[in-house]
C-alpha cells in the first residue's frame, strides 16, 4: 500500500496537502493517511494516481526551464530567482527550490516521468542534464 503526498514549501505551515494512492492501495490505508494529515490540522485533497504529483512536477519543470534559460544566456540564476519571486510572487525562485530540494531532484523526477511518458512532455532539457551530470562528477556519484 502506497500513499504519496505532494511537495510543500514548508509542511509545518502548509494548510492543505494533496494525497495520491496507487491503484493497488487499500481504501483503508488511504483513509488512515487522510486522517493522519487531518489530525495534524491539514485540509486534504485526494487526487487520482498522478505520477510526479502536481506541485512537485510543476516545480521540477520550472527548474528545468530556468536552467535552460540560463544556458541560452537569457538571464542569470539570480535574475531568474528574483523575477520569479517578485514578478510572479513565487515563494522561492527555481534555483532556490533546486538548492533546497537537492541539485539533481528536478532532473531525477523529470527523467522518471519521461520514462513513464516518453512523449517528450517531461523530458529534461539538455541544460538540466548537464547540470545533473556535472553535479554527480563533483560529488563523486557514479
Amino acid at each position: 500500500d502506497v500513499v504519496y503526498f505532494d511537495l510543500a514549501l514548508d509542511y509545518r505551515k502548509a494548510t492543505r496537502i494533496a494525497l495520491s494512492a496507487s491503484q493497488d492501495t487499500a481504501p483503508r490505508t488511504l483513509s488512515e493517511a487522510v486522517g493522519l494529515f487531518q489530525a495534524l490540522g491539514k485540509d486534504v485533497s485526494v487526487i487520482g494516481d498522478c505520477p510526479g504529483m502536481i506541485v512537485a512536477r510543476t516545480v521540477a519543470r520550472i527548474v528545468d526551464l530556468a536552467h535552460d534559460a540560463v544556458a541560452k544566456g537569457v538571464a542569470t540564476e539570480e535574475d531568474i530567482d528574483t523575477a520569479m519571486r517578485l514578478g510572479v510572487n513565487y515563494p522561492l525562485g527555481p534555483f532556490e527550490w533546486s538548492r533546497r530540494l537537492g541539485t539533481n531532484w528536478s532532473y531525477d523526477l523529470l527523467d522518471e516521468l519521461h520514462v513513464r511518458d516518453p512523449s517528450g512532455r517531461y523530458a529534461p532539457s539538455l541544460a538540466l542534464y548537464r547540470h545533473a551530470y556535472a553535479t554527480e562528477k563533483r560529488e563523486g556519484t557514479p
Side-chain angles (χ1 to χ4, degrees), residues 13-42:
K13 294 179 182 176
T15 58
R16 179 171 297 279
I17 300 292
L19 300 180
S20 176
S22 70
Q23 63 187 14
D24 299 328
T25 297
R28 179 177 177 187
T29 302
L30 178 58
S31 179
E32 290 172 352
V34 169
L36 170 68
F37 281 100
Q38 288 173 337
L40 294 171
K42 312 295 182 193

PDB file of all heavy atoms in Angstrom, residues 13-42:
ATOM      1  N   LYS A  13       3.829  24.652   7.907  1.00  0.00           N
ATOM      2  CA  LYS A  13       2.961  25.808   7.661  1.00  0.00           C
ATOM      3  C   LYS A  13       1.890  25.543   6.603  1.00  0.00           C
ATOM      4  O   LYS A  13       0.943  26.319   6.477  1.00  0.00           O
ATOM      5  CB  LYS A  13       3.798  27.010   7.231  1.00  0.00           C
ATOM      6  CG  LYS A  13       4.710  27.516   8.325  1.00  0.00           C
ATOM      7  CD  LYS A  13       5.526  28.695   7.831  1.00  0.00           C
ATOM      8  CE  LYS A  13       6.475  29.183   8.900  1.00  0.00           C
ATOM      9  NZ  LYS A  13       7.340  30.278   8.399  1.00  0.00           N
ATOM     10  N   ALA A  14       2.043  24.487   5.843  1.00  0.00           N
ATOM     11  CA  ALA A  14       1.074  24.183   4.783  1.00  0.00           C
ATOM     12  C   ALA A  14      -0.300  23.937   5.388  1.00  0.00           C
ATOM     13  O   ALA A  14      -0.436  23.251   6.398  1.00  0.00           O
ATOM     14  CB  ALA A  14       1.529  22.964   3.990  1.00  0.00           C
ATOM     15  N   THR A  15      -1.326  24.512   4.773  1.00  0.00           N
ATOM     16  CA  THR A  15      -2.687  24.309   5.271  1.00  0.00           C
ATOM     17  C   THR A  15      -3.399  23.180   4.535  1.00  0.00           C
ATOM     18  O   THR A  15      -4.379  22.648   5.033  1.00  0.00           O
ATOM     19  CB  THR A  15      -3.516  25.601   5.129  1.00  0.00           C
ATOM     20  OG1 THR A  15      -3.539  25.994   3.753  1.00  0.00           O
ATOM     21  CG2 THR A  15      -2.913  26.719   5.986  1.00  0.00           C
ATOM     22  N   ARG A  16      -2.904  22.841   3.354  1.00  0.00           N
ATOM     23  CA  ARG A  16      -3.522  21.770   2.557  1.00  0.00           C
ATOM     24  C   ARG A  16      -2.436  20.856   2.015  1.00  0.00           C
ATOM     25  O   ARG A  16      -1.390  21.309   1.582  1.00  0.00           O
ATOM     26  CB  ARG A  16      -4.334  22.351   1.407  1.00  0.00           C
ATOM     27  CG  ARG A  16      -4.976  21.289   0.519  1.00  0.00           C
ATOM     28  CD  ARG A  16      -5.942  21.875  -0.483  1.00  0.00           C
ATOM     29  NE  ARG A  16      -7.069  22.530   0.156  1.00  0.00           N
ATOM     30  CZ  ARG A  16      -8.153  21.897   0.625  1.00  0.00           C
ATOM     31  NH1 ARG A  16      -8.244  20.590   0.525  1.00  0.00           N
ATOM     32  NH2 ARG A  16      -9.134  22.573   1.182  1.00  0.00           N
ATOM     33  N   ILE A  17      -2.717  19.569   2.019  1.00  0.00           N
ATOM     34  CA  ILE A  17      -1.816  18.555   1.488  1.00  0.00           C
ATOM     35  C   ILE A  17      -2.589  17.723   0.466  1.00  0.00           C
ATOM     36  O   ILE A  17      -3.730  17.309   0.733  1.00  0.00           O
ATOM     37  CB  ILE A  17      -1.291  17.625   2.616  1.00  0.00           C
ATOM     38  CG1 ILE A  17      -0.518  18.408   3.677  1.00  0.00           C
ATOM     39  CG2 ILE A  17      -0.442  16.500   2.039  1.00  0.00           C
ATOM     40  CD1 ILE A  17       0.791  18.999   3.223  1.00  0.00           C
ATOM     41  N   ALA A  18      -1.971  17.498  -0.684  1.00  0.00           N
ATOM     42  CA  ALA A  18      -2.572  16.626  -1.693  1.00  0.00           C
ATOM     43  C   ALA A  18      -2.005  15.219  -1.519  1.00  0.00           C
ATOM     44  O   ALA A  18      -0.799  15.039  -1.378  1.00  0.00           O
ATOM     45  CB  ALA A  18      -2.274  17.141  -3.093  1.00  0.00           C
ATOM     46  N   LEU A  19      -2.891  14.239  -1.509  1.00  0.00           N
ATOM     47  CA  LEU A  19      -2.504  12.834  -1.389  1.00  0.00           C
ATOM     48  C   LEU A  19      -2.947  12.084  -2.635  1.00  0.00           C
ATOM     49  O   LEU A  19      -3.982  12.386  -3.225  1.00  0.00           O
ATOM     50  CB  LEU A  19      -3.177  12.188  -0.175  1.00  0.00           C
ATOM     51  CG  LEU A  19      -2.889  12.768   1.204  1.00  0.00           C
ATOM     52  CD1 LEU A  19      -3.647  11.989   2.264  1.00  0.00           C
ATOM     53  CD2 LEU A  19      -1.408  12.771   1.491  1.00  0.00           C
ATOM     54  N   SER A  20      -2.164  11.097  -2.983  1.00  0.00           N
ATOM     55  CA  SER A  20      -2.494  10.232  -4.106  1.00  0.00           C
ATOM     56  C   SER A  20      -2.118   8.809  -3.727  1.00  0.00           C
ATOM     57  O   SER A  20      -1.031   8.568  -3.217  1.00  0.00           O
ATOM     58  CB  SER A  20      -1.716  10.665  -5.350  1.00  0.00           C
ATOM     59  OG  SER A  20      -1.958   9.782  -6.421  1.00  0.00           O
ATOM     60  N   ALA A  21      -3.030   7.898  -3.969  1.00  0.00           N
ATOM     61  CA  ALA A  21      -2.770   6.488  -3.664  1.00  0.00           C
ATOM     62  C   ALA A  21      -2.583   5.723  -4.960  1.00  0.00           C
ATOM     63  O   ALA A  21      -3.219   6.016  -5.968  1.00  0.00           O
ATOM     64  CB  ALA A  21      -3.937   5.900  -2.874  1.00  0.00           C
ATOM     65  N   SER A  22      -1.707   4.741  -4.922  1.00  0.00           N
ATOM     66  CA  SER A  22      -1.555   3.894  -6.099  1.00  0.00           C
ATOM     67  C   SER A  22      -2.844   3.083  -6.270  1.00  0.00           C
ATOM     68  O   SER A  22      -3.628   2.933  -5.337  1.00  0.00           O
ATOM     69  CB  SER A  22      -0.344   2.971  -5.950  1.00  0.00           C
ATOM     70  OG  SER A  22      -0.593   2.001  -4.961  1.00  0.00           O
ATOM     71  N   GLN A  23      -3.038   2.552  -7.437  1.00  0.00           N
ATOM     72  CA  GLN A  23      -4.289   1.845  -7.723  1.00  0.00           C
ATOM     73  C   GLN A  23      -4.463   0.586  -6.888  1.00  0.00           C
ATOM     74  O   GLN A  23      -5.577   0.101  -6.700  1.00  0.00           O
ATOM     75  CB  GLN A  23      -4.400   1.525  -9.200  1.00  0.00           C
ATOM     76  CG  GLN A  23      -3.315   0.598  -9.719  1.00  0.00           C
ATOM     77  CD  GLN A  23      -3.381   0.442 -11.225  1.00  0.00           C
ATOM     78  OE1 GLN A  23      -4.041   1.199 -11.914  1.00  0.00           O
ATOM     79  NE2 GLN A  23      -2.682  -0.559 -11.732  1.00  0.00           N
ATOM     80  N   ASP A  24      -3.378   0.056  -6.354  1.00  0.00           N
ATOM     81  CA  ASP A  24      -3.452  -1.156  -5.544  1.00  0.00           C
ATOM     82  C   ASP A  24      -3.585  -0.879  -4.045  1.00  0.00           C
ATOM     83  O   ASP A  24      -3.659  -1.819  -3.251  1.00  0.00           O
ATOM     84  CB  ASP A  24      -2.201  -2.013  -5.769  1.00  0.00           C
ATOM     85  CG  ASP A  24      -2.071  -2.457  -7.218  1.00  0.00           C
ATOM     86  OD1 ASP A  24      -3.119  -2.661  -7.875  1.00  0.00           O
ATOM     87  OD2 ASP A  24      -0.931  -2.590  -7.693  1.00  0.00           O
ATOM     88  N   THR A  25      -3.599   0.385  -3.673  1.00  0.00           N
ATOM     89  CA  THR A  25      -3.665   0.739  -2.255  1.00  0.00           C
ATOM     90  C   THR A  25      -5.070   0.497  -1.712  1.00  0.00           C
ATOM     91  O   THR A  25      -6.058   0.890  -2.332  1.00  0.00           O
ATOM     92  CB  THR A  25      -3.264   2.215  -2.052  1.00  0.00           C
ATOM     93  OG1 THR A  25      -1.901   2.360  -2.478  1.00  0.00           O
ATOM     94  CG2 THR A  25      -3.365   2.632  -0.607  1.00  0.00           C
ATOM     95  N   ALA A  26      -5.133  -0.118  -0.554  1.00  0.00           N
ATOM     96  CA  ALA A  26      -6.422  -0.393   0.085  1.00  0.00           C
ATOM     97  C   ALA A  26      -7.080   0.920   0.507  1.00  0.00           C
ATOM     98  O   ALA A  26      -6.400   1.837   0.979  1.00  0.00           O
ATOM     99  CB  ALA A  26      -6.214  -1.286   1.309  1.00  0.00           C
ATOM    100  N   PRO A  27      -8.401   1.019   0.342  1.00  0.00           N
ATOM    101  CA  PRO A  27      -9.108   2.236   0.758  1.00  0.00           C
ATOM    102  C   PRO A  27      -8.848   2.603   2.227  1.00  0.00           C
ATOM    103  O   PRO A  27      -8.753   3.780   2.565  1.00  0.00           O
ATOM    104  CB  PRO A  27     -10.584   1.876   0.528  1.00  0.00           C
ATOM    105  CG  PRO A  27     -10.552   0.837  -0.542  1.00  0.00           C
ATOM    106  CD  PRO A  27      -9.299   0.051  -0.298  1.00  0.00           C
ATOM    107  N   ARG A  28      -8.696   1.604   3.072  1.00  0.00           N
ATOM    108  CA  ARG A  28      -8.435   1.872   4.490  1.00  0.00           C
ATOM    109  C   ARG A  28      -7.095   2.590   4.680  1.00  0.00           C
ATOM    110  O   ARG A  28      -6.969   3.486   5.511  1.00  0.00           O
ATOM    111  CB  ARG A  28      -8.456   0.573   5.283  1.00  0.00           C
ATOM    112  CG  ARG A  28      -8.161   0.806   6.748  1.00  0.00           C
ATOM    113  CD  ARG A  28      -8.238  -0.436   7.562  1.00  0.00           C
ATOM    114  NE  ARG A  28      -7.866  -0.111   8.945  1.00  0.00           N
ATOM    115  CZ  ARG A  28      -7.700  -0.987   9.868  1.00  0.00           C
ATOM    116  NH1 ARG A  28      -7.887  -2.260   9.607  1.00  0.00           N
ATOM    117  NH2 ARG A  28      -7.356  -0.623  11.076  1.00  0.00           N
ATOM    118  N   THR A  29      -6.092   2.205   3.904  1.00  0.00           N
ATOM    119  CA  THR A  29      -4.782   2.846   4.002  1.00  0.00           C
ATOM    120  C   THR A  29      -4.877   4.313   3.623  1.00  0.00           C
ATOM    121  O   THR A  29      -4.332   5.182   4.304  1.00  0.00           O
ATOM    122  CB  THR A  29      -3.759   2.125   3.108  1.00  0.00           C
ATOM    123  OG1 THR A  29      -3.683   0.755   3.499  1.00  0.00           O
ATOM    124  CG2 THR A  29      -2.384   2.760   3.202  1.00  0.00           C
ATOM    125  N   LEU A  30      -5.581   4.610   2.536  1.00  0.00           N
ATOM    126  CA  LEU A  30      -5.768   5.999   2.120  1.00  0.00           C
ATOM    127  C   LEU A  30      -6.536   6.769   3.187  1.00  0.00           C
ATOM    128  O   LEU A  30      -6.170   7.893   3.542  1.00  0.00           O
ATOM    129  CB  LEU A  30      -6.488   6.073   0.771  1.00  0.00           C
ATOM    130  CG  LEU A  30      -6.784   7.482   0.262  1.00  0.00           C
ATOM    131  CD1 LEU A  30      -5.497   8.295   0.118  1.00  0.00           C
ATOM    132  CD2 LEU A  30      -7.533   7.410  -1.060  1.00  0.00           C
ATOM    133  N   SER A  31      -7.570   6.158   3.735  1.00  0.00           N
ATOM    134  CA  SER A  31      -8.355   6.801   4.790  1.00  0.00           C
ATOM    135  C   SER A  31      -7.495   7.122   6.013  1.00  0.00           C
ATOM    136  O   SER A  31      -7.610   8.191   6.615  1.00  0.00           O
ATOM    137  CB  SER A  31      -9.525   5.889   5.175  1.00  0.00           C
ATOM    138  OG  SER A  31     -10.273   6.470   6.207  1.00  0.00           O
ATOM    139  N   GLU A  32      -6.620   6.195   6.376  1.00  0.00           N
ATOM    140  CA  GLU A  32      -5.721   6.424   7.516  1.00  0.00           C
ATOM    141  C   GLU A  32      -4.737   7.553   7.230  1.00  0.00           C
ATOM    142  O   GLU A  32      -4.430   8.357   8.109  1.00  0.00           O
ATOM    143  CB  GLU A  32      -4.985   5.140   7.879  1.00  0.00           C
ATOM    144  CG  GLU A  32      -5.887   4.095   8.501  1.00  0.00           C
ATOM    145  CD  GLU A  32      -5.211   2.746   8.681  1.00  0.00           C
ATOM    146  OE1 GLU A  32      -4.073   2.561   8.180  1.00  0.00           O
ATOM    147  OE2 GLU A  32      -5.822   1.872   9.322  1.00  0.00           O
ATOM    148  N   ALA A  33      -4.253   7.641   5.985  1.00  0.00           N
ATOM    149  CA  ALA A  33      -3.336   8.726   5.617  1.00  0.00           C
ATOM    150  C   ALA A  33      -4.053  10.072   5.675  1.00  0.00           C
ATOM    151  O   ALA A  33      -3.509  11.061   6.193  1.00  0.00           O
ATOM    152  CB  ALA A  33      -2.759   8.487   4.225  1.00  0.00           C
ATOM    153  N   VAL A  34      -5.275  10.112   5.174  1.00  0.00           N
ATOM    154  CA  VAL A  34      -6.072  11.338   5.257  1.00  0.00           C
ATOM    155  C   VAL A  34      -6.257  11.727   6.719  1.00  0.00           C
ATOM    156  O   VAL A  34      -6.065  12.886   7.107  1.00  0.00           O
ATOM    157  CB  VAL A  34      -7.439  11.166   4.542  1.00  0.00           C
ATOM    158  CG1 VAL A  34      -8.364  12.325   4.866  1.00  0.00           C
ATOM    159  CG2 VAL A  34      -7.246  11.035   3.033  1.00  0.00           C
ATOM    160  N   GLY A  35      -6.613  10.752   7.540  1.00  0.00           N
ATOM    161  CA  GLY A  35      -6.816  11.011   8.966  1.00  0.00           C
ATOM    162  C   GLY A  35      -5.561  11.532   9.649  1.00  0.00           C
ATOM    163  O   GLY A  35      -5.627  12.415  10.513  1.00  0.00           O
ATOM    164  N   LEU A  36      -4.406  11.000   9.272  1.00  0.00           N
ATOM    165  CA  LEU A  36      -3.148  11.466   9.843  1.00  0.00           C
ATOM    166  C   LEU A  36      -2.942  12.943   9.561  1.00  0.00           C
ATOM    167  O   LEU A  36      -2.657  13.735  10.471  1.00  0.00           O
ATOM    168  CB  LEU A  36      -1.974  10.655   9.282  1.00  0.00           C
ATOM    169  CG  LEU A  36      -0.583  11.205   9.614  1.00  0.00           C
ATOM    170  CD1 LEU A  36      -0.294  11.077  11.104  1.00  0.00           C
ATOM    171  CD2 LEU A  36       0.478  10.493   8.800  1.00  0.00           C
ATOM    172  N   PHE A  37      -3.088  13.338   8.298  1.00  0.00           N
ATOM    173  CA  PHE A  37      -2.869  14.744   7.955  1.00  0.00           C
ATOM    174  C   PHE A  37      -3.945  15.647   8.567  1.00  0.00           C
ATOM    175  O   PHE A  37      -3.654  16.770   8.980  1.00  0.00           O
ATOM    176  CB  PHE A  37      -2.762  14.928   6.442  1.00  0.00           C
ATOM    177  CG  PHE A  37      -1.418  14.540   5.901  1.00  0.00           C
ATOM    178  CD1 PHE A  37      -1.226  13.313   5.293  1.00  0.00           C
ATOM    179  CD2 PHE A  37      -0.333  15.393   6.030  1.00  0.00           C
ATOM    180  CE1 PHE A  37       0.017  12.939   4.809  1.00  0.00           C
ATOM    181  CE2 PHE A  37       0.920  15.034   5.546  1.00  0.00           C
ATOM    182  CZ  PHE A  37       1.093  13.802   4.942  1.00  0.00           C
ATOM    183  N   GLN A  38      -5.166  15.159   8.637  1.00  0.00           N
ATOM    184  CA  GLN A  38      -6.214  15.948   9.290  1.00  0.00           C
ATOM    185  C   GLN A  38      -5.921  16.115  10.775  1.00  0.00           C
ATOM    186  O   GLN A  38      -6.137  17.191  11.338  1.00  0.00           O
ATOM    187  CB  GLN A  38      -7.585  15.304   9.068  1.00  0.00           C
ATOM    188  CG  GLN A  38      -8.064  15.458   7.642  1.00  0.00           C
ATOM    189  CD  GLN A  38      -9.337  14.684   7.356  1.00  0.00           C
ATOM    190  OE1 GLN A  38      -9.676  13.714   8.037  1.00  0.00           O
ATOM    191  NE2 GLN A  38     -10.055  15.121   6.331  1.00  0.00           N
ATOM    192  N   ALA A  39      -5.404  15.076  11.416  1.00  0.00           N
ATOM    193  CA  ALA A  39      -5.030  15.167  12.826  1.00  0.00           C
ATOM    194  C   ALA A  39      -3.917  16.189  13.036  1.00  0.00           C
ATOM    195  O   ALA A  39      -3.788  16.774  14.118  1.00  0.00           O
ATOM    196  CB  ALA A  39      -4.607  13.801  13.355  1.00  0.00           C
ATOM    197  N   LEU A  40      -3.122  16.418  11.993  1.00  0.00           N
ATOM    198  CA  LEU A  40      -2.064  17.424  12.046  1.00  0.00           C
ATOM    199  C   LEU A  40      -2.583  18.821  11.705  1.00  0.00           C
ATOM    200  O   LEU A  40      -1.812  19.772  11.608  1.00  0.00           O
ATOM    201  CB  LEU A  40      -0.928  17.041  11.080  1.00  0.00           C
ATOM    202  CG  LEU A  40      -0.160  15.768  11.437  1.00  0.00           C
ATOM    203  CD1 LEU A  40       0.782  15.371  10.299  1.00  0.00           C
ATOM    204  CD2 LEU A  40       0.615  15.964  12.737  1.00  0.00           C
ATOM    205  N   GLY A  41      -3.902  18.918  11.493  1.00  0.00           N
ATOM    206  CA  GLY A  41      -4.524  20.214  11.221  1.00  0.00           C
ATOM    207  C   GLY A  41      -4.512  20.630   9.767  1.00  0.00           C
ATOM    208  O   GLY A  41      -4.698  21.801   9.454  1.00  0.00           O
ATOM    209  N   LYS A  42      -4.330  19.685   8.867  1.00  0.00           N
ATOM    210  CA  LYS A  42      -4.262  19.995   7.437  1.00  0.00           C
ATOM    211  C   LYS A  42      -5.576  19.655   6.753  1.00  0.00           C
ATOM    212  O   LYS A  42      -6.228  18.671   7.085  1.00  0.00           O
ATOM    213  CB  LYS A  42      -3.153  19.190   6.741  1.00  0.00           C
ATOM    214  CG  LYS A  42      -1.805  19.196   7.433  1.00  0.00           C
ATOM    215  CD  LYS A  42      -1.189  20.548   7.470  1.00  0.00           C
ATOM    216  CE  LYS A  42       0.188  20.480   8.124  1.00  0.00           C
ATOM    217  NZ  LYS A  42       0.701  21.785   8.450  1.00  0.00           N
TER     218      LYS A  42
END
